[in-house]
Structure formats: C-alpha cells, structure tokens
Amino acid sequence: MFLKHSVLFALSLSLVACEAEDPTIDGIDGIDEIDDVDELDELDEVAQGSDEEIEADGHGGPEEDDALVVDVAPGDPVEIADGIIAIAPRPGEGVVMEVLYDDGMTYLADLETDAAGIVRLRLPDLGFADDGLSHACASKCSDSSYKLLGHRWNKRVNWYYRDGGRPSSVGKSGAISALKYAASTSTGSRNSCGMTDQVSATHTYKGTTGTAPNISATSNSVTCTTPDGKNVVGWAGDLPSGTLGVACTWRSGSTAVETDQEYNNKKKWFAGNSVPSGCSDRTSLRAVAAHEWGHSFGLDHSGCKQTMAPSTKPCTSGSRILGKGDVKGLRALY
C-alpha cells in the first residue's frame, strides 16, 4: 500500500548510524521506529535548526554528516520511503526528488553517489509538511529565512512541455502559460515585497515534445529514473492516489543538468492567477509549479508563508508569487 506521509519512516532514516548492524531494509541499514510524538517533535526541531541559524549562513542545507549510506550500487533502485523510489545516480552525480500531495503534505529527498561509488541519502526536511514544528510562520515579506539544496544551474534552462494526458480542467494554452509563468517566478524574482530582480538564472520554453518526463509511476509507487538530457514538464494519470505532482532534478557535482516535472491529470486544476468562483477542490497550477521550479533552481523548503513552504492547499494561488526568503535564497544561488 502506498503510504502518503511516511513521517516516522523518514525521521528514523535520518537518525540511524551508518555502521548499524541491523539487517538491511530496502537497501537502507538499521531503521528504528520512534513511537513517542513529543520525542519526534523535539528531534525534528533539533534536525531542522533555528531560523536564525538558517539566515546566518544563508544556506541551512544538509551537511555531509546528515547523509545516510545506502547499501546499493549506482543504477540500483532505492526505496526512499514506501512507494517513493529513485535510481541511484552514477558516481559524482545526484538527484533531488519531491512528491507533493493533495492534502498539503510534501516529501523531499536527496540521493547522491560520490566519486567512489558510495550512495548516500539525505532527507532535508525529514518528510514533514509545515505544521508549526520547525518552520518560521512570519508574514510573506518579513520572513527572510531560506534553505538551499545542493545544486544550481550554470546555464540557461531550456525546457519542453508534453501535452499528452492533459486534464480537461485546463486548456493547452492555459497550461503552457501557467508553467512559463511559474518558471519565470524564480528567474524574474516575481514577488509582492518590492524586491528588485537580482537573480541571474534564466529559462526558455522551447515548445512541445512527445518525450515523457523521466518519471515512472504506478498506482503504488513513483520513481525518478535516469536523466536523458532533456528538461520536460508533463502530465500522468498513473500517479499514486493523492499525489498532485512529482519533480526530479539531477546534478553532476553541484551543477544541475536536468529537471523533469509530472502533474496528476486525475486532479482538478486551474491555470490562471485568480481562484475560480465557487472553487472547492481545484489546485493552482501556477502556484504548484512555482514551488516545483523553485526546487529545480535549487531552493529547499522554507517558512510557511513562502512559495517554498512545504505544503499546499486547494483554491489558493498566492504562492505563485515569491516571498522575501524565497528571493533571498535565489539571490544567494544566482
């Protein structure tokens, strides 16, 4: 059964010593279960660090010591959590994977293989959505905290749109406009805080393609496969129930080399800036895609009012526009 949240699983993964002698489970050594909720909350706060710490070094991203060694070889599948899978990259490469759910939860993981062929897993946010445990909840334009992933682009991001499987809730031109808008939110520093664009990242929409994103899905699992050198955003109808979308970004060293995104065509979407009248269960494609493009450009999750907050809600569109922390993070990268 596909477990959407996998919170205890994710937390236990991050707390296990690599030299544990317990039997391997899904290629990952020594998984212990934490039953005490207070202990889980306390550990999450310690693992995440304070907002002051994040802002002080301008990063707040995972360090080498946060990584868990995975007993697999490059090219092997790694089940990061129940039904969330990534193919172990080639030596010197990595992949960041996010799964976004329709109840607001997200799951973010970073899998990399070092030059010696050792595969390591990092869980930057321990699988938690923002529910007051550790992320700042200041207003959009006063929260300056941010976190970064381990990659950035050193060239223009050229990407394609695959229209196959598009849901009837959005038209083709509306979907393309929404996705272009979302990518430009990062590259153009689109915000409501009066912050000028000082971000050098760029993107170009190159048109439609028949090539599918390198994301494989079934009713029970979703997998970041292997990159093919082509950035593609598209739709899928076979994602696990409750999944809104999946984004995978591959890197060589710390340089991003490909990003693919896939959105669930069984969900109801709207493509414009405004929430449709009478909305009850439709999700903003611009807002969700702005979040996913933020990951593609190197942003980790941040405060609960930011575009990069680790949560989303239907019938809202405010996160299509960046907050102060989002912009500061992009400026730190570019």
Side-chain angles (χ1 to χ4, degrees):
M1 178 179 178
F2 185 82
L3 300 179
K4 293 197 296 182
H5 300 159
S6 302
V7 173
L8 291 179
F9 189 93
L11 182 58
S12 62
L13 280 177
S14 68
L15 300 175
V16 175
C18 296
E19 65 270 17
E21 297 179 355
D22 294 340
T24 297
I25 301 177
D26 292 329
I28 300 173
D29 291 336
I31 297 174
D32 300 320
E33 184 172 345
I34 297 175
D35 296 317
D36 188 283
V37 174
D38 292 334
E39 181 185 0
L40 183 144
D41 290 353
E42 179 182 352
L43 288 170
D44 179 52
E45 291 173 357
V46 171
Q48 295 292 338
S50 67
D51 295 320
E52 290 77 16
E53 290 172 336
I54 293 170
E55 188 172 358
D57 65 8
H59 189 293
E63 300 296 333
E64 186 70 24
D65 290 343
D66 295 330
L68 175 70
V69 172
V70 185
D71 187 19
V72 298
D76 290 343
V78 176
E79 187 161 20
I80 297 166
D82 192 6
I84 300 176
I85 302 166
I87 302 301
R90 294 177 299 186
E93 300 180 0
V95 58
V96 171
M97 178 180 189
E98 185 190 57
V99 183
L100 181 64
Y101 301 104
D102 59 8
D103 64 358
M105 288 288 288
T106 65
Y107 198 100
L108 181 66
D110 185 320
L111 189 69
E112 89 174 352
T113 305
D114 68 15
I118 298 173
V119 181
R120 290 184 172 87
L121 172 67
R122 295 181 180 86
L123 300 167
D125 290 281
L126 303 179
F128 283 95
D130 187 279
D131 41 5
L133 293 177
S134 60
H135 292 278
C137 206
S139 65
K140 195 177 188 77
C141 294
S142 62
D143 182 2
S144 60
S145 64
Y146 62 87
K147 294 177 69 178
L148 305 180
L149 296 168
H151 66 265
R152 68 183 298 278
W153 295 84
N154 62 8
K155 62 181 180 180
R156 180 180 296 272
V157 180
N158 295 317
W159 61 279
Y160 298 81
Y161 167 66
R162 185 173 187 265
D163 194 53
R166 173 178 44 81
S168 60
S169 55
V170 293
K172 179 179 178 179
S173 62
I176 293 172
S177 293
L179 296 169
K180 291 168 63 178
Y181 179 103
S184 295
T185 292
S186 286
T187 60
S189 301
R190 184 181 287 113
N191 69 90
S192 57
C193 306
M195 302 175 73
T196 60
D197 181 19
Q198 300 175 20
V199 174
S200 62
T202 56
H203 81 93
T204 298
Y205 168 62
K206 302 293 286 185
T208 58
T209 181
T211 302
N214 291 305
I215 299 170
S216 174
T218 70
S219 60
N220 295 313
S221 67
V222 60
T223 303
C224 287
T225 57
T226 56
D228 61 2
K230 191 172 186 176
N231 308 305
V232 180
V233 182
W235 302 94
D238 50 1
L239 290 169
S241 176
T243 304
L244 275 178
V246 182
C248 307
T249 301
W250 292 268
R251 67 180 183 273
S252 177
S254 61
T255 301
V257 296
E258 182 178 333
T259 186
D260 288 353
Q261 301 169 20
E262 201 163 68
Y263 297 97
N264 194 337
N265 67 10
K266 293 182 180 179
K267 301 298 180 183
K268 295 179 180 179
W269 300 86
F270 63 93
N273 286 336
S274 302
V275 178
S277 176
C279 181
S280 61
D281 61 353
R282 297 177 70 181
T283 301
S284 169
L285 182 58
R286 294 190 179 208
V288 171
H291 178 95
E292 300 300 3
W293 275 112
H295 284 314
S296 296
F297 281 107
L299 294 179
D300 195 348
H301 288 150
S302 58
C304 67
K305 301 296 184 182
Q306 306 293 300
T307 294
M308 299 312 297
S311 60
T312 187
K313 295 179 180 179
C315 301
T316 61
S317 63
S319 61
R320 75 186 190 281
I321 297 175
L322 302 176
K324 185 176 181 180
D326 300 318
V327 175
K328 288 191 66 176
L330 288 166
R331 287 179 179 180
L333 283 166
Y334 304 96

